[in-house]
Amino acid sequence: MNFVRRLSTKTTASLDASKLKLNLTSSPKALPPADKLVFGKTFSNHMLIVDWTAEAGWGIPEIKPYGPFSMDPSSCVLHYAFECFEGQKAFRDASGNIRLFRPEKNMERLNKSADRICLPTFDIEQGVKLIEEFVKVEKDFVPQEKGYSLYLRPSIIGTQNSLGVSPPNSARLFVIASPVGPYYATGFKAVRLEATDSAVRAWPGGVGNRKLGANYAPCVKPQLDAAKRGFQQNLWLFEGYLTEVGTMNLFLVFQNADGKKELTTAPLDGTILEGITRLSILELARERLDPKEWDVTERKVHINEVMERAKKGELIEMFGAGTAAVVSPVKELNYHGEAIEVPLPKGKEAGPVTETVSKWISDIQYGIDDHPFCKVIA
Amino acid sequence: MNFVRRLSTKTTASLDASKLKLNLTSSPKALPPADKLVFGKTFSNHMLIVDWTAEAGWGIPEIKPYGPFSMDPSSCVLHYAFECFEGQKAFRDASGNIRLFRPEKNMERLNKSADRICLPTFDIEQGVKLIEEFVKVEKDFVPQEKGYSLYLRPSIIGTQNSLGVSPPNSARLFVIASPVGPYYATGFKAVRLEATDSAVRAWPGGVGNRKLGANYAPCVKPQLDAAKRGFQQNLWLFEGYLTEVGTMNLFLVFQNADGKKELTTAPLDGTILEGITRLSILELARERLDPKEWDVTERKVHINEVMERAKKGELIEMFGAGTAAVVSPVKELNYHGEAIEVPLPKGKEAGPVTETVSKWISDIQYGIDDHPFCKVIA
């Protein structure tokens, strides 16, 4: 194996959005009706592709008709999981404008993910520009309906054709887009989670804080096991502490005996994904919740604490937060067959805090609240 | 997300080697000369492919000309690392016969890996038969030279075109073959390893014992860092204990003050790959080493023990073992900048135990020792 190549100091081309080439389809499809959309199964007319080589750097970005890649069976992405991705969304506001939610945060995180597995990084601003250009081309695929959006999937994959385990000397950045509705088939309904400690998703010194393909396939079997027992998702415990759900971060709302409330989520200790919805909720909560009534914290919460405080009536709400699922109320956390019930107001699917937070995010995404998190791009 | 599909009890087709279809190339290439072979970069004329769907089960196996796959950009292998693989080798003995080294062990392990990430499993015997048929077709690509072999890479990838994180409803089993020489460019020379504790490869309850793509990409950056400091590979520590090298398992030889010797390697506690070369060495050592002089153990060895016993002169040999690298002598283990030297006999690249073990394996592989581990298939 020869790792020395990467030590070269030769100048290579940076990612440059101004070089973007458009090669548009002559037979565009139309956006299917909202009720026909299944998460991540319908795609828009085009894809954005930029190839990279260690020798030359980033090539010419191109938007071209959506279609298959030709991949050598020895391609390193198929063997060693040289792959990382993002999930972000474009929304249509009431005036028909298209808005992107904090795209620079996604590009920042994609760079961190790529760097961790020796895939090429890029200039964040150029990455955001390319995403914007792509969404402009695909703007007819951003649905009108509230709760719907155009889900964007930027990915970087290693494309070196070699079975040696080494940093890829070629890679591809690509973006595809899927018009989507609610992530859970159940819609905005409270979900039931199962706490998993028979398997471990991530650990200190591992890669659980990066959005790598490697973090996903190993999580599906425990999810499937939870699904067979009737749970929509599983919550990953680490040494008994609540971490994340795999597709979303988790928030809890406690109320102390003295009446003070706490909105809390797991800290960024390297074992959870650095969620952008998570960050946005924390930022908004610190700005908008009255500090005399509220503590907004990032701390380790043990499953025993959740059980004990639920018994005392101090656990008042729980919800998941992520790009795909947005804000998703939780009505039960099951641990070793024992249900920790989360109270829901009679006849409702979410408590008042969950509803408030959900509205904060959704109002920003759909332009009801014209907030700096969301930029009009078309 | 709908996980329920997998609960169906419908009967689907099993993997069936008797259905194998041959579609051979009309323009075969010849095996390049041994000195032109770089590990995993040259491939033989054909590939073996069997597609699977959740609905129908395993399809018709086909050996066809080596060539690119057409893959949708949303294919789940490119996003969520639904991929696992094996490394195994075919050897040419002195009489020109082709031998496979314990192929049933590879198929067993591939099944365990596939099962862990919800990819389809298969009948081990049918898998072995397919590998044998493939090697028969490619037998001219098994090099003559000692130290050379035809490296086989069976893989299973998820091919479902969807961004939902769920068990793939379609997959592909494929096998490609690369004629190879020594894994390290240095040949049969002692390597220097760096012990890594800044990053952690695997964790109890994780997937470090399965041959998943997910275990490889995250290991390359620490390897690269070690390479920049002059080390061929890094050794992964877990809470200070020696685990594995990422591309090979590690063996140590200690000599106690009373003269008794120990051949030891890390136990199968879920954090190391269940190496087939590792298993074979343990089995042969337990059979062939005199138990009055030797203890053959699988136990946790702490880096502090290695340092202390090296200082006392009790660390007498160290070597890596794996399919790609076979048996690879180690002359130094560096920990936080401090070199733990492993003595080598003057003018030699390996100590007597390493040489003996290496000869055991190599004699079986090349048919000098006609041992049940190696079956003549052509």
Side-chain angles (χ1 to χ4, degrees):
Chain A
M1 302 295 92
N2 177 16
F3 282 117
V4 181
R5 167 175 54 74
R6 275 297 184 89
L7 305 176
S8 150
T9 53
K10 217 180 104 188
T11 313
T12 55
S14 303
L15 186 66
D16 184 350
S18 73
K19 291 187 182 155
L20 179 65
K21 228 170 68 184
L22 295 187
N23 165 12
L24 303 186
T25 178
S26 52
S27 52
K29 298 172 302 181
L31 172 66
D35 62 352
K36 291 275 178 292
L37 299 175
V38 179
F39 185 90
K41 289 209 174 178
T42 313
F43 295 94
S44 66
N45 283 309
H46 299 93
M47 58 188 179
L48 170 73
I49 289 184
V50 203
D51 285 321
W52 172 93
T53 66
E55 271 234 299
W58 288 104
I60 306 292
E62 187 180 3
I63 292 176
K64 57 193 241 180
Y66 185 96
F69 296 162
S70 172
M71 302 197 69
D72 195 88
S74 71
S75 187
C76 67
V77 64
L78 303 180
H79 299 267
Y80 305 129
F82 283 105
E83 56 193 82
C84 55
F85 66 94
E86 276 304 315
Q88 56 191 112
K89 283 176 170 175
F91 302 88
R92 189 179 293 275
D93 67 22
S95 328
N97 298 322
I98 311 293
R99 290 166 183 260
L100 277 175
F101 188 77
R102 311 190 86 174
E104 69 289 353
K105 295 287 175 199
N106 293 99
M107 293 298 103
E108 244 178 79
R109 193 170 62 180
L110 185 56
N111 260 333
K112 285 189 196 172
S113 300
D115 184 64
R116 181 61 187 78
I117 51 172
C118 296
L119 288 172
T121 56
F122 56 87
D123 183 273
I124 290 168
E125 210 178 302
Q126 298 299 312
V128 172
K129 271 189 198 163
L130 284 172
I131 295 282
E132 288 178 9
E133 291 309 311
F134 180 59
V135 172
K136 283 180 198 169
V137 168
E138 298 300 57
K139 64 177 190 302
D140 292 348
F141 270 77
V142 186
Q144 292 280 357
E145 293 80 358
K146 189 76 186 290
Y148 286 74
S149 57
L150 184 61
Y151 181 81
L152 302 165
R153 169 56 58 92
S155 304
I156 305 179
I157 58 175
T159 54
Q160 178 168 354
N161 300 333
S162 164
L163 299 181
V165 180
S166 63
N169 65 11
S170 65
R172 167 169 288 184
L173 164 62
F174 67 97
V175 188
I176 56 178
S178 173
V180 300
Y183 186 73
Y184 296 110
T186 44
F188 190 72
K189 281 207 168 161
V191 296
R192 297 168 66 227
L193 303 179
E194 184 174 54
T196 299
D197 57 6
S198 57
V200 175
R201 177 188 169 274
W203 47 86
V207 292
N209 56 343
R210 299 290 171 252
K211 213 162 170 66
L212 308 183
N215 287 324
Y216 290 80
C219 290
V220 170
K221 199 181 167 78
Q223 270 174 36
L224 186 63
D225 292 341
K228 285 178 189 167
R229 291 186 285 266
F231 301 95
Q232 275 87 351
Q233 289 281 320
N234 64 315
L235 167 67
W236 295 95
L237 299 184
F238 181 73
E239 295 178 343
Y241 291 94
L242 280 55
T243 67
E244 61 150 280
V245 179
T247 48
M248 43 187 203
N249 294 111
L250 191 76
F251 282 82
L252 294 99
V253 184
F254 291 117
Q255 179 151 33
N256 295 335
D258 65 3
K260 190 149 190 189
K261 285 180 280 193
E262 181 187 17
L263 175 66
T264 190
T265 191
L268 302 180
D269 65 354
T271 66
I272 65 161
L273 188 75
E274 300 176 358
I276 295 165
T277 312
R278 172 191 179 280
L279 172 71
S280 305
I281 290 172
L282 287 172
E283 288 176 358
L284 294 170
R286 282 173 180 146
E287 203 182 283
R288 298 179 178 184
L289 294 178
D290 181 351
K292 276 179 247 134
E293 285 175 40
W294 281 94
D295 282 325
V296 178
T297 63
E298 295 163 76
R299 68 173 178 93
K300 290 172 79 172
V301 173
H302 199 279
I303 186 77
N304 291 341
E305 177 182 347
V306 183
M307 281 195 292
E308 283 158 23
R309 298 187 72 178
K311 275 179 200 152
K312 289 197 276 184
E314 291 184 11
L315 172 68
I316 57 173
E317 292 185 44
M318 194 184 296
F319 61 89
T323 296
V326 199
V327 170
S328 185
V330 177
K331 64 180 173 190
E332 179 190 329
L333 175 60
N334 197 290
Y335 179 57
H336 291 183
E338 193 180 331
I340 304 171
E341 307 277 357
V342 188
L344 287 179
K346 208 176 165 180
K348 299 196 89 174
E349 288 296 324
V353 184
T354 307
E355 273 195 342
T356 301
V357 166
S358 175
K359 191 169 165 10
W360 286 346
I361 298 292
S362 147
D363 281 359
I364 293 174
Q365 290 176 335
Y366 292 96
I368 295 161
D369 174 2
D370 193 14
H371 190 277
F373 284 171
C374 241
K375 189 180 157 192
V376 173
I377 61 143
Chain B
M1 300 296 94
N2 177 15
F3 283 116
V4 181
R5 165 175 54 74
R6 275 298 185 88
L7 304 177
S8 148
T9 53
K10 215 182 104 189
T11 312
T12 56
S14 302
L15 186 65
D16 185 350
S18 73
K19 292 187 182 155
L20 179 66
K21 225 171 69 183
L22 294 187
N23 164 11
L24 303 185
T25 177
S26 51
S27 52
K29 296 174 304 182
L31 172 66
D35 62 352
K36 291 276 179 291
L37 300 174
V38 178
F39 185 91
K41 289 209 175 177
T42 313
F43 295 95
S44 66
N45 284 309
H46 301 92
M47 57 188 180
L48 170 73
I49 289 183
V50 202
D51 285 321
W52 172 93
T53 65
E55 271 235 299
W58 288 104
I60 306 292
E62 186 180 5
I63 293 176
K64 58 193 241 179
Y66 185 97
F69 297 161
S70 172
M71 301 195 69
D72 195 87
S74 71
S75 185
C76 66
V77 63
L78 304 180
H79 298 267
Y80 306 130
F82 284 104
E83 56 191 82
C84 56
F85 66 94
E86 275 303 314
Q88 55 190 112
K89 283 176 171 175
F91 301 88
R92 189 180 291 276
D93 68 22
S95 328
N97 297 323
I98 310 293
R99 288 166 185 261
L100 277 176
F101 187 78
R102 312 190 85 174
E104 69 289 353
K105 294 285 174 201
N106 292 98
M107 293 300 101
E108 243 178 78
R109 192 169 63 180
L110 185 55
N111 261 332
K112 285 188 196 172
S113 299
D115 183 64
R116 182 60 187 80
I117 52 173
C118 297
L119 288 172
T121 57
F122 56 89
D123 182 274
I124 291 169
E125 209 179 302
Q126 298 299 312
V128 172
K129 272 190 197 160
L130 284 172
I131 296 281
E132 287 179 7
E133 291 309 311
F134 181 58
V135 172
K136 284 179 199 169
V137 168
E138 298 301 54
K139 66 177 189 301
D140 293 347
F141 269 77
V142 186
Q144 292 281 356
E145 294 81 358
K146 189 75 185 290
Y148 286 74
S149 58
L150 183 62
Y151 181 83
L152 302 165
R153 170 55 61 90
S155 304
I156 305 178
I157 58 175
T159 54
Q160 179 168 353
N161 299 333
S162 165
L163 299 181
V165 181
S166 63
N169 65 12
S170 65
R172 168 169 287 185
L173 163 63
F174 67 97
V175 188
I176 54 176
S178 173
V180 299
Y183 186 72
Y184 296 110
T186 45
F188 190 71
K189 282 205 168 164
V191 296
R192 297 169 67 226
L193 303 179
E194 185 173 54
T196 299
D197 57 6
S198 56
V200 176
R201 177 186 169 276
W203 196 272
V207 292
N209 56 343
R210 298 290 171 252
K211 214 160 169 67
L212 307 183
N215 287 323
Y216 289 79
C219 289
V220 169
K221 199 181 166 78
Q223 270 174 35
L224 185 64
D225 292 341
K228 285 179 187 165
R229 292 186 285 266
F231 301 96
Q232 275 86 352
Q233 289 281 320
N234 64 314
L235 167 68
W236 295 95
L237 299 184
F238 179 72
E239 295 178 344
Y241 291 93
L242 280 55
T243 67
E244 62 150 277
V245 178
T247 49
M248 41 187 204
N249 293 112
L250 191 76
F251 282 83
L252 294 99
V253 185
F254 291 118
Q255 180 152 32
N256 295 334
D258 65 4
K260 191 150 189 188
K261 285 178 281 192
E262 180 187 19
L263 175 66
T264 190
T265 192
L268 301 180
D269 65 354
T271 66
I272 66 162
L273 187 75
E274 300 176 356
I276 295 164
T277 312
R278 172 191 178 280
L279 172 71
S280 305
I281 291 172
L282 287 171
E283 288 176 357
L284 294 170
R286 281 172 181 148
E287 201 182 284
R288 296 180 180 184
L289 294 178
D290 181 351
K292 279 181 243 127
E293 283 174 43
W294 282 94
D295 283 325
V296 179
T297 62
E298 295 163 76
R299 68 174 177 92
K300 290 172 79 172
V301 173
H302 199 279
I303 186 77
N304 291 341
E305 176 184 346
V306 182
M307 281 196 290
E308 283 158 22
R309 298 188 72 178
K311 275 180 199 149
K312 289 198 275 183
E314 290 184 11
L315 172 68
I316 58 174
E317 292 186 44
M318 194 185 294
F319 60 89
T323 296
V326 201
V327 170
S328 185
V330 177
K331 65 181 173 190
E332 180 190 329
L333 175 60
N334 197 291
Y335 180 57
H336 291 184
E338 193 181 331
I340 304 172
E341 307 277 357
V342 188
L344 287 179
K346 208 176 166 181
K348 299 195 91 173
E349 287 296 325
V353 184
T354 308
E355 273 195 343
T356 301
V357 167
S358 175
K359 193 168 164 8
W360 286 347
I361 298 291
S362 149
D363 280 0
I364 293 173
Q365 290 175 334
Y366 292 98
I368 295 161
D369 174 2
D370 193 14
H371 189 277
F373 284 172
C374 240
K375 187 181 158 193
V376 173
I377 60 143

Coordinates of all heavy atoms in Angstrom, one line a residue, chain B residues 90-103 132 135-136 364-378:
Chain B
A90 N -6.9 -18.5 -4.2 CA -6.6 -19.8 -4.9 C -5.1 -19.8 -5.2 O -4.5 -18.8 -5.7 CB -7.4 -19.8 -6.2
F91 N -4.5 -21.0 -5.0 CA -3.1 -21.2 -5.1 C -2.8 -22.2 -6.2 O -3.6 -23.2 -6.3 CB -2.5 -21.6 -3.8 CG -2.7 -20.7 -2.7 CD1 -3.9 -20.7 -1.9 CD2 -1.8 -19.6 -2.4 CE1 -4.1 -19.8 -0.9 CE2 -2.0 -18.7 -1.4 CZ -3.2 -18.8 -0.6
R92 N -1.7 -22.1 -6.8 CA -1.2 -23.1 -7.8 C -0.1 -23.9 -7.1 O 0.9 -23.3 -6.7 CB -0.8 -22.5 -9.1 CG -0.5 -23.5 -10.2 CD 0.0 -22.8 -11.5 NE -1.1 -22.0 -12.1 CZ -2.0 -22.4 -12.9 NH1 -2.0 -23.7 -13.2 NH2 -2.9 -21.6 -13.4
D93 N -0.3 -25.2 -7.0 CA 0.8 -26.0 -6.4 C 1.9 -26.4 -7.4 O 1.7 -26.1 -8.6 CB 0.2 -27.2 -5.6 CG -0.4 -28.3 -6.5 OD1 -0.1 -28.4 -7.7 OD2 -1.3 -29.1 -6.0
A94 N 2.9 -27.1 -6.9 CA 4.0 -27.5 -7.8 C 3.6 -28.3 -9.0 O 4.2 -28.3 -10.1 CB 5.1 -28.2 -7.0
S95 N 2.5 -29.1 -8.9 CA 2.1 -29.9 -10.0 C 1.1 -29.2 -10.9 O 0.6 -29.7 -11.9 CB 1.3 -31.2 -9.5 OG 1.8 -31.6 -8.3
G96 N 0.9 -27.9 -10.6 CA 0.0 -27.1 -11.4 C -1.5 -27.2 -11.1 O -2.3 -26.5 -11.7
N97 N -1.8 -27.9 -10.0 CA -3.2 -28.0 -9.5 C -3.5 -26.7 -8.8 O -2.7 -26.0 -8.2 CB -3.3 -29.2 -8.6 CG -3.1 -30.5 -9.2 OD1 -3.4 -30.7 -10.4 ND2 -2.4 -31.4 -8.5
I98 N -4.8 -26.4 -8.8 CA -5.3 -25.2 -8.2 C -6.0 -25.6 -6.8 O -6.8 -26.5 -6.8 CB -6.4 -24.5 -9.0 CG1 -5.9 -24.3 -10.4 CG2 -6.8 -23.2 -8.4 CD1 -4.8 -23.3 -10.6
R99 N -5.6 -24.9 -5.8 CA -6.1 -25.2 -4.4 C -6.8 -24.0 -3.8 O -6.4 -22.9 -4.0 CB -5.0 -25.6 -3.5 CG -4.4 -27.0 -3.9 CD -3.1 -27.2 -3.2 NE -2.5 -28.5 -3.6 CZ -2.6 -29.6 -2.9 NH1 -3.1 -29.7 -1.7 NH2 -2.0 -30.8 -3.4
L100 N -7.9 -24.3 -3.1 CA -8.6 -23.2 -2.4 C -8.4 -23.5 -0.9 O -8.5 -24.6 -0.4 CB -10.1 -23.2 -2.6 CG -10.6 -22.5 -3.9 CD1 -12.1 -22.8 -4.1 CD2 -10.3 -21.1 -3.9
F101 N -8.1 -22.4 -0.1 CA -7.8 -22.5 1.3 C -9.1 -22.2 2.1 O -9.6 -21.1 2.1 CB -6.7 -21.5 1.7 CG -6.3 -21.6 3.1 CD1 -5.3 -22.6 3.5 CD2 -6.7 -20.7 4.1 CE1 -4.9 -22.7 4.8 CE2 -6.2 -20.8 5.4 CZ -5.3 -21.8 5.7
R102 N -9.7 -23.3 2.7 CA -10.8 -23.2 3.6 C -12.0 -22.3 3.1 O -12.5 -21.4 3.8 CB -10.4 -22.8 5.0 CG -9.2 -23.5 5.5 CD -8.9 -23.3 6.9 NE -9.7 -24.1 7.8 CZ -9.6 -24.2 9.1 NH1 -8.7 -23.4 9.7 NH2 -10.3 -25.0 9.8
P103 N -12.4 -22.5 1.8 CA -13.4 -21.6 1.3 C -14.7 -21.6 2.0 O -15.5 -20.6 2.1 CB -13.6 -22.1 -0.2 CG -13.2 -23.5 -0.1 CD -12.0 -23.6 0.9
E132 N -15.8 -22.3 -6.6 CA -15.0 -23.3 -7.3 C -15.2 -23.2 -8.8 O -14.2 -23.2 -9.6 CB -15.4 -24.7 -6.8 CG -14.9 -25.0 -5.4 CD -15.3 -26.4 -4.9 OE1 -15.8 -27.2 -5.7 OE2 -15.1 -26.7 -3.7
V135 N -13.4 -20.2 -10.1 CA -11.9 -20.3 -10.2 C -11.5 -21.3 -11.3 O -10.5 -21.0 -12.0 CB -11.4 -20.8 -8.8 CG1 -9.9 -21.2 -8.9 CG2 -11.6 -19.8 -7.7
K136 N -12.3 -22.3 -11.6 CA -12.0 -23.1 -12.7 C -12.0 -22.3 -14.0 O -11.1 -22.5 -14.9 CB -13.1 -24.3 -12.8 CG -12.8 -25.4 -11.8 CD -13.9 -26.5 -11.9 CE -14.0 -27.3 -10.7 NZ -15.2 -28.2 -10.7
I364 N 0.8 -25.6 3.2 CA -0.6 -26.1 3.0 C -1.1 -25.4 1.7 O -1.7 -26.0 0.9 CB -1.5 -25.8 4.2 CG1 -1.0 -26.7 5.4 CG2 -2.9 -26.1 3.9 CD1 -1.7 -26.4 6.7
Q365 N -0.9 -24.1 1.6 CA -1.5 -23.3 0.5 C -1.0 -23.8 -0.8 O -1.7 -23.9 -1.8 CB -1.3 -21.8 0.7 CG -2.2 -21.3 1.9 CD -1.9 -19.8 2.2 OE1 -0.8 -19.3 1.9 NE2 -2.9 -19.2 2.8
Y366 N 0.4 -24.1 -0.8 CA 1.0 -24.5 -2.1 C 1.1 -26.0 -2.3 O 1.8 -26.5 -3.1 CB 2.3 -23.8 -2.3 CG 2.2 -22.3 -2.5 CD1 2.3 -21.4 -1.4 CD2 1.8 -21.8 -3.7 CE1 2.1 -20.0 -1.6 CE2 1.6 -20.4 -3.9 CZ 1.7 -19.6 -2.8 OH 1.5 -18.2 -3.0
G367 N 0.4 -26.7 -1.4 CA 0.3 -28.2 -1.6 C 1.6 -29.0 -1.2 O 1.6 -30.2 -1.5
I368 N 2.5 -28.3 -0.6 CA 3.7 -29.1 -0.2 C 3.3 -30.0 1.0 O 3.7 -31.1 1.1 CB 4.8 -28.1 0.2 CG1 5.3 -27.3 -1.0 CG2 6.0 -28.8 0.9 CD1 6.0 -26.0 -0.7
D369 N 2.4 -29.4 1.8 CA 1.8 -30.2 2.9 C 0.3 -30.5 2.4 O -0.5 -29.5 2.3 CB 1.8 -29.4 4.2 CG 1.0 -30.1 5.3 OD1 0.5 -31.2 5.1 OD2 0.9 -29.5 6.4
D370 N 0.0 -31.7 2.0 CA -1.3 -32.0 1.5 C -2.3 -32.1 2.6 O -2.6 -33.2 3.1 CB -1.3 -33.3 0.6 CG -2.5 -33.4 -0.2 OD1 -3.3 -32.4 -0.4 OD2 -2.7 -34.5 -0.7
H371 N -2.8 -31.0 3.1 CA -3.5 -30.9 4.3 C -5.0 -30.7 4.0 O -5.3 -30.0 3.0 CB -3.0 -29.7 5.1 CG -3.5 -29.6 6.5 ND1 -4.6 -29.0 6.8 CD2 -2.9 -30.0 7.7 CE1 -4.8 -29.0 8.2 NE2 -3.8 -29.6 8.7
P372 N -5.9 -31.2 4.9 CA -7.4 -31.0 4.6 C -7.8 -29.5 4.5 O -8.9 -29.2 3.9 CB -8.1 -31.7 5.8 CG -7.0 -32.1 6.7 CD -5.7 -32.1 6.0
F373 N -7.0 -28.5 5.0 CA -7.4 -27.1 4.8 C -7.5 -26.7 3.4 O -8.2 -25.8 3.0 CB -6.4 -26.2 5.5 CG -6.5 -26.1 7.0 CD1 -5.5 -25.5 7.7 CD2 -7.5 -26.7 7.7 CE1 -5.5 -25.4 9.1 CE2 -7.6 -26.6 9.1 CZ -6.6 -26.0 9.8
C374 N -6.8 -27.4 2.5 CA -6.7 -27.0 1.1 C -7.1 -28.1 0.2 O -6.6 -29.2 0.2 CB -5.2 -26.6 0.8 SG -5.0 -24.9 0.3
K375 N -8.1 -27.8 -0.6 CA -8.8 -28.7 -1.5 C -8.3 -28.4 -2.9 O -8.4 -27.3 -3.4 CB -10.3 -28.6 -1.3 CG -11.1 -29.6 -2.0 CD -12.6 -29.3 -1.8 CE -13.5 -30.0 -2.8 NZ -14.8 -29.5 -2.8
V376 N -7.9 -29.5 -3.6 CA -7.6 -29.3 -5.0 C -8.9 -29.2 -5.8 O -9.8 -30.1 -5.7 CB -6.8 -30.5 -5.6 CG1 -6.6 -30.4 -7.1 CG2 -5.4 -30.6 -4.9
I377 N -9.1 -28.2 -6.6 CA -10.4 -28.0 -7.3 C -10.2 -28.0 -8.8 O -11.2 -28.1 -9.5 CB -11.1 -26.7 -6.9 CG1 -10.3 -25.5 -7.2 CG2 -11.5 -26.7 -5.4 CD1 -11.1 -24.3 -7.6
A378 N -9.0 -27.9 -9.3 CA -8.7 -28.0 -10.7 C -7.3 -28.3 -11.0 O -6.4 -28.2 -10.1 CB -9.1 -26.6 -11.3

